[in-house]
Amino acid sequence: MNLKLEAVNLVRWLHFVALTVGGGAAIVALLLSGFEEGKEDIQGLAATIWAKVVAWAFRLALVAGIALLVLMIQGGQNPFKAGTYFHIKLTLVFLLLGLSEMTPKALAKGKRGSALVVVVLFLAASFTVFNKGLFLKQTPNGGPEVPVTATVSVQTR
């Protein structure tokens, strides 16, 4: 674990915290939307939580992710060339952000489909990041060298 106080590490931490807050609040808002049915005193609470917490956490995570990408490229790393991992992550992130922006209006109407899809996309993106080794380019590894000690003799008749 790298404990140096560097800009890349700080921005990565901010990105992680914002995503964690957004994902957790999305699950809470989805659960709250189920409790709103038939209770007028808490009607619209899930939509409000989504608009105030989830959407802003995902927006902050996007800004931190862009800053992290810029800092990584300046540091000599290029995640775009590492394999399909980063492309899959970006696709899931843009779908998640688009649906996240439309979800408060759907939750206000009592529809939970888009909130559920956002949670699934969040879990899929988290799975992709956690298991990025599955998507990285693999260099052919010949394995350990095996010494050639057998002798070949040709038998003639």
Side-chain angles (χ1 to χ4, degrees), residues 22-118:
I27 293 170
V28 168
L30 183 62
L31 290 172
L32 276 175
S33 68
F35 292 122
E36 287 180 349
E37 293 177 6
K39 297 181 182 174
E40 292 183 19
D41 54 337
I42 60 171
Q43 198 72 30
L45 182 62
T48 303
I49 289 176
W50 196 285
K52 304 262 184 206
V53 180
V54 178
W56 281 105
F58 284 155
R59 291 172 192 153
L60 178 63
L62 177 68
V63 170
I66 291 169
L68 182 61
L69 180 62
V70 168
L71 288 172
M72 288 175 71
I73 290 174
Q74 286 178 348
Q77 299 175 359
N78 192 350
F80 290 107
K81 293 183 179 178
T84 59
Y85 142 75
F86 199 67
H87 296 83
I88 293 170
K89 177 187 171 185
L90 282 180
T91 303
L92 292 171
V93 164
F94 287 129
L95 288 172
L96 181 141
L97 283 170
L99 278 174
S100 177
E101 293 297 322
M102 297 185 312
T103 300
K105 289 182 182 178
L107 284 175
K109 294 178 184 176
K111 297 181 180 179
R112 296 186 294 258
S114 63
L116 183 60
V117 173
V118 168

Side-chain angles (χ1 to χ4, degrees), residues 137-153:
K137 288 182 183 176
Q138 301 293 327
T139 57
N141 188 1
E145 285 189 32
V146 179
V148 180
T149 57
T151 59
V152 179
S153 62

